[in-house]
Amino acid sequence: MTPPQRQRRDPTPESPPPEEGEGKVRNPERMYVVAGPDGERAELDLVTLIVARAEDPPPSASPEQAALLRLCAAPLSVAELSAYLHLPFSAMGVLLTELLTAELVQARAPIVRQSRTDRSLLEAVMNGLQRL
């Protein structure tokens, strides 16, 4: 058994699509911009550290940009910013590209820790423990 189908009260006939010779088919207008004016994005990784250059966001900043600038007073990774603002990584890439081109934030490489500890430090700790 199928459920009853709803019908419009005032059905309006749909106009047929224009033929090739009849009219010009236009592309729909873009409602948003996904990248900057040149279409390029900054090369960011999830572990790239972002630091704000200015203490206060400019008055022309969008609410998302202002929140991002406030969070970046201390270095935070792109993944952390994305989690704090509840935005996907792709949206963070667009926001950060705009802020990087406006020179409001600075991107830094992540801090890589050494895989091995310095041997002289371990020997000094061991000698100190033996003296106790």
Side-chain angles (χ1 to χ4, degrees), residues 56-62:
D56 295 328
S60 62
S62 67

Side-chain angles (χ1 to χ4, degrees), residues 38-122:
D38 53 0
E40 293 184 16
R41 289 191 194 176
E43 292 186 25
L44 298 170
D45 196 6
L46 288 172
V47 294
T48 303
L49 296 177
I50 306 296
V51 183
R53 288 186 172 187
E55 291 182 16
D56 295 328
S60 62
S62 67
E64 292 85 7
Q65 290 174 341
L68 197 139
L69 287 171
R70 281 189 219 102
L71 282 173
C72 290
L76 287 176
S77 69
V78 176
E80 290 173 316
L81 291 170
S82 178
Y84 288 142
L85 295 177
H86 304 290
L87 292 173
F89 176 71
S90 56
M92 287 303 300
V94 173
L95 280 172
L96 289 172
T97 300
E98 291 174 356
L99 292 173
L100 284 167
T101 55
E103 296 182 354
L104 294 173
V105 295
Q106 179 181 8
R108 295 182 182 171
I111 299 169
V112 180
R113 302 201 184 268
Q114 293 181 349
S115 60
R116 296 187 130 184
T117 312
D118 187 20
R119 184 177 175 99
S120 62
L121 175 65
L122 289 176

Side-chain angles (χ1 to χ4, degrees), residues 120-132:
S120 62
L121 175 65
L122 289 176
E123 288 176 356
V125 170
M126 187 174 74
N127 290 336
L129 289 173
Q130 286 176 349
R131 287 185 205 149
L132 291 175

